[in-house]
Amino acid sequence: AVSHYRLFPKALGRLVAALGVRELHLALTQGFWRTRAWGQPPLQAPAGAELWVWFQPTVTNIDKAWKELSNILSGIFCASLNFIDSTNTVTPTASFKPLGLANGTDHHLLRYAVLPREVVCTENLTPWKKLLPCGSKAGLAVLLKAERLFHSSYHSQAVHIRPICRDASCLAVSWELRQTLTVVFDTFSSGQGKKDWSLFKMFSRTLTDACPLASQSKVYVDISPRNKEKELLEVTPPPTSVHEAVVQGDKRTYAVYDLLSPSLFNTSRSLNVQLKWKRPQDSSEMPTPVLHAQRYVSGYGLQTGEISTLIYNTHPYRAFPVILLETVPWYLRLYVHTLAIITKGKENKPSYIHYQPAQDRTRPHLLEMLIQLPANSVTKITIQFERALLKWTEYPPDPNHGFYVSSSVLSALVPSVIAMKDVDVEQSPLFTSLFPSSDGSSYFVRLYTEPLLVNLPTPDFSMPYNVICLTCTVVAVCYGSFYNLLTRTFHVEEPSRGGVAKRL
């Protein structure tokens, strides 16, 4: 149970205690992370809304608790999470292991769902900011101006709750709430070809002070040298300190601004971090990550099709396994006998495979595989499907827009190019908590591919409209005439006798 609400938001604390939640991870994302252009994502999430929860073993009815939880979170974050039901919920067996303390990993206590159509907007950001101890009144959250954040190429806000050890002996356990916000500003296109940026240019605001409740408040600026030229970047004002760390297998240099340092706000009451390039920079792309993937749907017509997933391992000499999780809606009937995994022209047999077939209008397909990726290779996974015919009442208001298939999930321990020492891990608590690593030789990565947009056979919805109009017209005319004939009484009036003038 949560009993300390000085910093922890009461809405989430009571939710965790009442429904027996052991871990909760919610992400609301607008846009898609372009791995080849932007490099390895720090904390990627699929487009739309993603929710995965581990429940306590004491919860008797997991499905009931899952439905209550999604409805309550829908109210807290003003999102459409109430549309999560059995048709888009799965129970993975190998992916999404607990990130906090876990005595057992009984996967029956896990639920995972994605809503790819969810649109993220200001109404989702406001309740997210209210969960912060200082809200958006002080600290780093002052920068979170909605019109600036949503006028960007990628926006992802997340909430992670997990149990952690309070000390080294782990005698006491605490609840950890981590709120993350990932935004990609396209400053190169909006800044007339210049890559210079500042906090004021991006957010239209500057930092004024740290949150009074914060025990640590820092700004990290990545000033890692590229092409071994160290004197290209210049940051102003001078940073409090410079920190080196190995993040996701790559050595990075960070300029650190400690907002709790009294010397930082001495000259002026605002901090506007600026980064300038000493020479004009070309639009050079980021180095391609070791592991990246893409997915697309192929085929023609509205009967059959094929889902293809390409997984790239660009490491020059190391092979490693990857867990692939596919969730496909029930109205795409998968032909599992057509599943083919090809690497370098040869068949690649998965060492673990779990398939749960869909049931119409009840549950989706679930396919999990453990695939070995050889060094410097591309692995292509294809599976054919057939489109089902829906009832006319099951179509959304815009059926010709298409139907979304949620992203594939790739989980892997990627080998690191640079060996990390244990000393580095101890000195960088921020990066070890954001990027968990089992040892120095590898780091954990969870990637999401693109969501798919599939067209289904759609009836001509103008025809029912025409039929309804015609039927209503015919019924109205016929019914009115028959009703008049049946209910009206007719009297024959004899013409009164009189002269010609009177008759006229």
Side-chain angles (χ1 to χ4, degrees):
V2 183
S3 56
H4 187 71
Y5 290 119
R6 181 170 173 264
L7 298 174
F8 204 93
K10 198 166 187 177
L12 294 180
R14 295 182 67 177
L15 174 70
V16 166
L19 294 177
V21 174
R22 188 170 70 187
E23 268 194 34
L24 185 147
H25 303 271
L26 170 67
L28 298 168
T29 308
Q30 189 72 28
F32 177 70
W33 185 277
R34 305 186 182 281
T35 315
R36 295 196 172 193
W38 301 339
Q40 188 73 48
L43 289 166
Q44 199 190 357
E50 180 199 42
L51 176 66
W52 58 283
V53 177
W54 280 89
F55 290 95
Q56 302 280 5
T58 53
V59 180
T60 51
N61 192 339
I62 302 288
D63 292 324
K64 184 184 175 186
W66 169 250
K67 188 171 184 180
E68 285 185 29
L69 178 72
S70 58
N71 279 281
I72 294 172
L73 287 174
S74 175
I76 292 175
F77 291 99
C78 293
S80 307
L81 300 174
N82 52 312
F83 284 102
I84 291 177
D85 54 12
S86 63
T87 59
N88 48 30
T89 300
V90 293
T91 303
T93 59
S95 305
F96 297 102
K97 294 299 180 190
L99 296 180
L101 298 173
N103 296 326
T105 53
D106 181 10
H107 68 269
H108 296 292
L109 303 171
L110 169 67
R111 292 294 182 272
Y112 173 75
V114 177
L115 296 174
R117 288 194 62 144
E118 179 69 18
V119 178
V120 186
C121 198
T122 338
E123 59 197 14
N124 309 116
L125 181 67
T126 305
W128 183 90
K129 288 195 287 191
K130 285 182 179 177
L131 299 177
L132 296 166
C134 291
S136 55
K137 308 295 182 190
L140 299 173
V142 172
L143 301 175
L144 306 183
K145 196 177 178 182
E147 55 263 37
R148 285 292 185 159
L149 294 182
F150 287 101
H151 190 66
S152 55
S153 304
Y154 177 85
H155 172 275
S156 177
Q157 60 188 62
V159 171
H160 305 279
I161 301 176
R162 63 172 185 170
I164 57 166
C165 291
R166 196 175 297 176
D167 47 19
S169 56
C170 208
L171 296 175
V173 177
S174 296
W175 285 103
E176 178 197 75
L177 167 64
R178 181 192 295 152
Q179 293 181 242
T180 61
L181 184 69
T182 309
V183 187
V184 175
F185 290 98
D186 201 355
T187 54
F188 190 73
S189 62
S190 61
Q192 291 83 38
K194 295 180 181 178
K195 281 194 170 181
D196 303 343
W197 59 263
S198 67
L199 290 183
F200 188 77
K201 271 186 188 176
M202 286 195 290
F203 299 103
S204 295
R205 289 177 183 177
T206 55
L207 288 170
T208 52
D209 57 349
C211 174
L213 297 171
S215 59
Q216 194 179 28
S217 185
K218 294 182 180 179
V219 176
Y220 290 80
V221 181
D222 190 346
I223 54 170
S224 307
R226 286 189 203 162
N227 305 325
K228 298 180 180 178
E229 298 180 15
K230 294 191 176 180
E231 299 301 321
L232 276 178
L233 287 175
E234 183 184 4
V235 285
T236 52
T240 316
S241 61
V242 176
H243 180 76
E244 285 194 354
V246 176
V247 178
Q248 293 183 331
D250 195 10
K251 198 163 189 178
R252 302 278 179 87
T253 309
Y254 292 92
V256 183
Y257 294 89
D258 190 355
L259 300 188
L260 298 180
S261 171
S263 62
L264 198 61
F265 294 107
N266 268 353
T267 53
S268 62
R269 290 301 301 164
S270 71
L271 172 66
N272 183 24
V273 180
Q274 297 183 7
L275 184 139
K276 292 184 179 179
W277 293 82
K278 296 186 178 178
R279 301 204 291 269
Q281 285 295 301
D282 300 328
S283 59
S284 56
E285 293 188 352
M286 298 283 287
T288 308
V290 174
L291 174 68
H292 60 280
Q294 65 184 88
R295 189 167 67 142
Y296 56 90
V297 63
S298 56
Y300 58 90
L302 289 176
Q303 184 182 3
T304 58
E306 188 176 70
I307 295 176
S308 303
T309 308
L310 296 174
I311 306 176
Y312 297 83
N313 173 16
T314 59
H315 202 286
Y317 54 87
R318 286 283 294 274
F320 57 89
V322 64
I323 294 176
L324 175 69
L325 170 75
E326 289 264 12
T327 309
V328 181
W330 62 267
Y331 42 77
L332 299 183
R333 307 256 166 80
L334 293 184
Y335 292 141
V336 187
H337 70 279
T338 63
L339 178 66
I341 305 172
I342 306 295
T343 308
K344 293 183 176 180
K346 296 179 182 177
E347 185 184 359
N348 187 346
K349 288 190 177 179
S351 51
Y352 170 78
I353 189 164
H354 169 72
Y355 175 66
Q356 185 184 51
Q359 290 180 354
D360 283 4
R361 300 170 180 85
T362 305
R363 72 180 186 199
H365 299 271
L366 171 65
L367 179 63
E368 282 184 289
M369 294 181 290
L370 181 64
I371 305 168
Q372 189 75 19
L373 303 181
N376 202 8
S377 67
V378 182
T379 303
K380 186 176 183 180
I381 302 150
T382 58
I383 187 167
Q384 295 178 13
F385 64 87
E386 185 182 50
R387 295 166 169 87
L389 283 169
L390 300 182
K391 297 176 181 176
W392 74 277
T393 53
E394 292 175 338
Y395 286 92
D398 52 348
N400 292 303
H401 176 75
F403 292 77
Y404 283 94
V405 180
S406 58
S407 310
S408 299
V409 188
L410 297 167
S411 309
L413 278 172
V414 178
S416 176
V417 182
I418 303 168
M420 193 190 335
K421 302 173 187 174
D422 294 335
V423 183
D424 296 339
V425 177
E426 291 170 4
Q427 289 179 352
S428 52
L430 168 78
F431 302 110
T432 51
S433 63
L434 285 178
F435 313 106
S437 173
S438 57
D439 55 2
S441 63
S442 60
Y443 57 96
F444 177 72
V445 168
R446 180 176 287 129
L447 288 180
Y448 297 88
T449 62
E450 304 93 332
L452 298 179
L453 190 60
V454 180
N455 284 323
L456 288 189
T458 307
D460 184 3
F461 283 105
S462 65
M463 289 308 295
Y465 173 73
N466 295 339
V467 171
I468 289 170
C469 289
L470 182 64
T471 310
C472 290
T473 307
V474 170
V475 167
V477 171
C478 293
Y479 176 76
S481 303
F482 273 107
Y483 186 78
N484 276 338
L485 288 171
L486 292 173
T487 58
R488 184 178 292 174
T489 55
F490 296 94
H491 299 284
V492 180
E493 289 189 3
E494 290 290 335
S496 58
R497 301 193 172 221
V500 179
K502 196 173 184 181
R503 287 185 184 182
L504 289 174

